[in-house]
Amino acid sequence: APYLSQGGLGLPDVEYYTKNDSRSKEIRDKYLKHVANMFRLIDVPEETAEMYAQTIMKIETDLAKSSNTRLENRDPEKNYNKMSIGNLKNITGDFNWDLYFENLGLGKLDIVIVRQPEFFANVGKMMDEVSLYDWKVYLKWNVIRDAASALSTTFVNERFEFTGKFL
């Protein structure tokens, strides 16, 4: 059976989004600047890039709030939730899992292992609450972030300044 796991965060751990100490706040502030800088590198105007960064932070913070911590992810029993596709659909709302699995080439499935059911329930809720426009911004960010090391030197350097030096 395929496993479904939480994801979608640009910072390394849930606590980077949820803690309110001065270091965590500094990291979030620098992350916002980093995200905006990356968008500017693809010629997004400065004001729009800053707005995009705020959108990314909001979505990622919402995802983090329902994500397991590193400690919670070490519990094998808590992270093995065998469920039918029907039960998965019940917790995630309108997400079309049949189409998703079909496009992955998995065909029709009866059972999946959902490592963090609360996360997937929240994503289902977010699918209705977050605008399509904001999801597109979020997905664009993930493409830029994931491809940065294969892009020009300016992308590589910006990514390294944040993840390699600052974090």
Side-chain angles (χ1 to χ4, degrees), residues 6-32:
Q6 70 189 26
L9 304 181
L11 292 171
D13 190 60
V14 170
E15 292 181 347
Y16 286 88
Y17 297 91
T18 58
K19 286 178 124 180
N20 282 317
D21 58 279
S22 61
R23 174 69 176 154
S24 297
K25 289 177 183 177
E26 178 187 18
I27 289 170
R28 288 191 296 271
D29 288 343
K30 294 263 189 187
Y31 184 57
L32 284 168

Side-chain angles (χ1 to χ4, degrees), residues 10-12 16 23 27 31 160-167:
L11 292 171
Y16 286 88
R23 174 69 176 154
I27 289 170
Y31 184 57
F160 180 73
E161 285 296 317
F162 180 73
T163 60
K165 284 186 178 179
F166 175 71
L167 279 184

